[in-house]
């Protein structure tokens, strides 16, 4: 009811300012927090305008087709579609990545993983680095930029994700340095002669326990790819496989670096210890103090 009333009321608001107010009201009714900023970002994208123009020229008339296009985007956001899918981009490690519903939206926690991985001294002059479950390609592309000598391979089961990842590699000028291959975890790397040669394996695997998905915010639960989120009943199904399968590819002293969910780090350390191919683990915390990255070194 409130929604319909707002739309009717807004039919009078055919100026930039009126459209902005309408958008804010729609987003606010949908339970979204940061409505001012989000409504401005949506208008900037829909109308190819800037915040400054919106401020200075608020009384300017909006053409019906511009208004319709903007309202469509407001409606998508009001249905709790993530803003990043609507705008088509997300910043990660200072680079702008294309994103869409085929890929997980890159998170700031994952920057911690990239930073830690890039900071270790990889001894080979052209170290081979593998990103498993690359999604948007954010980890592989950021690492290619941070490690100019590295040769990267990135895998994903989703063809749609790989399409976006390749686009992101090209956007950042590293398409010649990252080989994207389709398949399950390490499977597509077989036959490339990489066994025992890899300096580092990095992954932000799906790690949410199946039963916890329903408790997440609607943006995540209803829009981000389930394949990128859920790691079986306890969240660790993919992690177990990564820990078990990585040693075959890692060179001696090669590292496996994994992002993990809150409360999972100790379990992952135990899984690795039981596996027997790794030395002592270390754990890194994210900006919120949560144990977020587990670093393992192959014996
Ligand atoms: N590696 C990608 C990222 O960090 C995708 C991760 C995933 O799909 N779980 O964004």
């Amino acid at each position: 009811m409130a929604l319909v009333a707002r739309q009717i009321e807004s039919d009078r608001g055919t100026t930039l300012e009126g459209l902005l107010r309408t958008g804010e009201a729609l987003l606010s009714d949908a339970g979204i927090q940061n409505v001012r900023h989000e409504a401005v970002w949506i208008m900037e994208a829909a109308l190819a305008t800037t915040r400054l123009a919106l401020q200075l020229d608020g009384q300017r008339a909006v053409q019906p087709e511009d208004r319709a296009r903007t309202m469509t985007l407001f409606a998508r956001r009001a249905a709790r579609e993530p803003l990043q899918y609507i705008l088509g981009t997300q910043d990660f490690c200072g680079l702008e990545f294309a994103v869409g519903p085929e890929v997980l939206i890159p998170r700031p926690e994952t920057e911690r993983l990239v930073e830690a991985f890039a900071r270790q001294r990889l001894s080979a002059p052209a170290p081979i680095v593998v990103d498993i479950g690359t999604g948007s390609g954010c980890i592989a592309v950021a690492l290619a930029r941070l490690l100019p000598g590295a040769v990267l391979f990135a895998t994903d089961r989703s063809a749609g994700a790989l399409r976006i990842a390749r686009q992101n590699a090209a956007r950042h000028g590293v398409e010649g340095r990252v080989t994207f291959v389709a398949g399950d975890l390490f499977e597509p790397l077989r036959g490339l002669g990489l066994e025992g040669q890899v300096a580092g394996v990095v992954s932000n695997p799906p790690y949410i326990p199946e039963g916890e998905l329903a408790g997440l915010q609607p943006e995540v639960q209803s829009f981000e790819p389930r394949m990128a989120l859920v790691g079986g009943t306890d969240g660790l199904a993919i992690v177990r496989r990564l820990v078990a399968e990585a040693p075959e590819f890692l060179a001696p002293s090669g590292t496996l670096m994994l992002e993990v969910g809150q409360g999972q780090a100790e379990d992952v350390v135990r899984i690795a210890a039981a596996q027997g191919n790794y030395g002592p683990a270390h754990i890194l915390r994210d900006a919120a103090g949560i144990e977020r990255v587990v670093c393992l070194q192959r014996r």
Side-chain angles (χ1 to χ4, degrees), residues 92 102-107 110-111 113-114 131-140 155-156 161 202-207 225 227-230 259:
F92 180 81
E102 302 86 343
V103 300
L104 191 81
I105 298 164
R107 306 289 206 271
T110 308
E111 295 179 338
L113 175 69
V114 167
D131 175 21
I132 300 291
T134 196
S136 65
C138 63
I139 296 173
T155 77
D156 205 286
V202 65
S203 183
N204 174 24
Y207 53 66
M227 200 205 287
L229 294 169
V230 176
E259 180 171 327

Side-chain angles (χ1 to χ4, degrees), residues 151-164:
V151 175
L152 289 108
F153 291 83
T155 77
D156 205 286
R157 267 161 66 192
S158 157
L162 288 179
R163 205 168 337 104
I164 292 185

Side-chain angles (χ1 to χ4, degrees), residues 7-262:
Q7 262 159 346
I8 292 166
E9 174 198 350
S10 72
D11 283 335
R12 290 182 276 124
T14 50
T15 60
L16 284 174
E17 176 68 23
L19 190 53
L20 180 60
R21 297 276 162 266
T22 304
E24 285 175 355
L26 285 170
L27 301 192
S28 161
D29 284 350
I32 289 159
Q33 299 297 314
N34 199 4
V35 296
R36 185 76 229 250
H37 287 118
E38 293 209 11
V40 168
W41 287 325
I42 286 172
M43 285 185 63
E44 287 179 331
L47 304 172
T49 182
T50 62
R51 169 185 313 264
L52 190 64
L54 294 177
Q55 274 165 8
L56 296 180
D57 216 8
Q59 292 316 305
R60 198 175 84 207
V62 179
Q63 295 310 307
E65 64 276 18
D66 288 341
R67 184 169 188 285
R69 192 169 53 246
T70 311
M71 288 301 289
T72 303
L73 301 192
F74 284 144
R76 284 171 61 186
R77 185 66 189 106
R80 303 298 293 264
E81 181 172 344
L83 185 69
Q84 293 91 335
Y85 291 160
I86 296 170
L87 303 181
T89 61
Q90 171 65 42
D91 277 7
F92 180 81
C93 291
L95 303 168
E96 190 180 86
F97 283 85
V99 294
E102 302 86 343
V103 300
L104 191 81
I105 298 164
R107 306 289 206 271
E109 301 88 281
T110 308
E111 295 179 338
R112 183 81 186 91
L113 175 69
V114 167
E115 203 181 281
F117 190 90
R119 217 179 311 112
Q120 46 169 356
R121 276 165 305 153
L122 299 171
S123 47
I128 298 172
V129 173
V130 168
D131 175 21
I132 300 291
T134 196
S136 65
C138 63
I139 296 173
V141 170
L143 285 177
R145 294 285 300 248
L146 289 164
L147 304 170
V151 175
L152 289 108
F153 291 83
T155 77
D156 205 286
R157 267 161 66 192
S158 157
L162 288 179
R163 205 168 337 104
I164 292 185
R166 287 194 180 98
Q167 196 181 313
N168 282 321
R171 182 189 280 226
H172 297 298
V174 295
E175 69 273 33
R177 304 209 7 249
V178 188
T179 303
F180 292 97
V181 279
D184 185 36
L185 303 191
F186 290 94
E187 209 44 51
L189 300 176
R190 295 191 186 283
L192 302 179
L194 296 176
E195 288 81 353
Q197 305 297 317
V198 174
V201 173
V202 65
S203 183
N204 174 24
Y207 53 66
I208 295 166
E210 192 142 23
E212 286 180 18
L213 190 61
L216 301 179
Q217 60 199 54
E219 283 83 351
V220 179
Q221 208 196 115
S222 308
F223 291 93
E224 295 198 82
R226 188 186 162 85
M227 200 205 287
L229 294 169
V230 176
T233 48
D234 69 350
L236 295 172
I238 307 295
V239 170
R240 273 189 206 91
R241 291 187 50 204
L242 287 168
V243 167
E245 295 174 29
E248 183 190 350
F249 287 90
L250 286 171
S253 303
T255 53
L256 169 62
M257 226 182 254
L258 300 174
E259 180 171 327
V260 300
Q262 184 162 14

